[in-house]
């Protein structure tokens, strides 16, 4: 009769293993965003503060800040682990506290004074890496993102 408990255990053990949520086939719920600023930012903004935000559904879900490099092969770089929600639309907003012709140090001023950009990222389905190039003629006002 010793075989009955072993047989019962052998039948119930696989059922317990099936109760987990991670079956290896479900897509992850969030993905990483990496943003690299090309060296084109260095000549115009070397050493200036840069602030960045990931926006989903009009809400800021992550922020970071850094400085524009003074030399090298990239102007800046940001990594946002697990910030892009699977199936959701996202934007990346950033501004450089350049204070061309005035402005307030640490304050987000008009795009003609503090360069600002809005980048559509689309619907998240995987990790994403984007490279931004300095485009001073294509700025947009993103100050409200950082208020």
């Amino acid at each position: 009769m010793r075989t009955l408990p072993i047989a019962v255990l052998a039948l119930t053990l696989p059922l317990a293993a099936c109760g987990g949520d991670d079956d290896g086939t479900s897509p992850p719920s969030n993905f990483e965003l990496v943003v690299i600023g090309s060296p084109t930012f260095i000549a115009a903004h070397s050493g200036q503060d840069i602030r960045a935000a990931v926006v989903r559904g009009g809400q800021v879900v992550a922020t970071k800040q850094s400085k524009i490099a003074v030399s090298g092969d990239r102007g800046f770089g940001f990594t946002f682990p697990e910030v892009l929600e699977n199936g959701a639309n996202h934007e990346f907003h950033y501004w450089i506290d350049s204070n061309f012709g005035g402005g307030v140090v640490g304050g987000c001023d008009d795009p003609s004074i503090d360069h600002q950009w809005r980048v559509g990222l689309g619907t998240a389905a995987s990790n994403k890496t984007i490279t931004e190039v300095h485009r001073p003629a294509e700025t947009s006002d993103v100050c409200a993102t950082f208020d």
Side-chain angles (χ1 to χ4, degrees):
M1 282 300 201
R2 284 191 169 274
T3 57
L4 182 59
I6 293 172
V8 171
L9 180 61
L11 290 173
T12 58
L13 191 55
L15 293 176
C18 291
D21 289 338
D22 186 11
D23 61 5
T25 60
S26 300
S29 57
N30 290 330
F31 303 105
E32 177 179 79
L33 172 64
V34 175
V35 181
I36 298 166
S38 79
T40 59
F41 285 91
I42 296 173
H45 297 288
S46 177
Q48 295 175 338
D49 290 332
I50 179 171
R51 291 174 177 83
V54 179
V55 178
R56 177 174 55 239
Q59 300 295 313
V60 174
V61 294
T63 61
K64 292 196 177 206
Q65 70 179 57
S66 188
K67 288 196 177 289
I68 302 295
V70 296
S71 64
D73 62 353
R74 65 171 55 179
F76 62 86
F78 292 106
T79 299
F80 297 90
E82 298 185 19
V83 73
L84 301 176
E85 185 177 291
N86 190 19
N89 232 352
H90 299 81
E91 290 185 339
F92 177 71
H93 297 187
Y94 65 108
W95 68 277
I96 299 171
D97 197 12
S98 46
N99 295 323
F100 294 131
V104 177
V105 173
C108 190
D109 298 303
D110 181 84
S112 65
I113 296 171
D114 286 341
H115 285 172
Q116 308 167 42
W117 293 270
R118 176 186 322 257
V119 180
L121 301 175
T123 302
S126 63
N127 293 333
K128 188 169 195 81
T129 299
I130 62 170
T131 300
E132 282 295 290
V133 176
H134 187 242
R135 298 176 317 275
E138 298 176 27
T139 60
S140 12
D141 190 349
V142 298
C143 285
T145 303
F146 298 93
D147 287 342

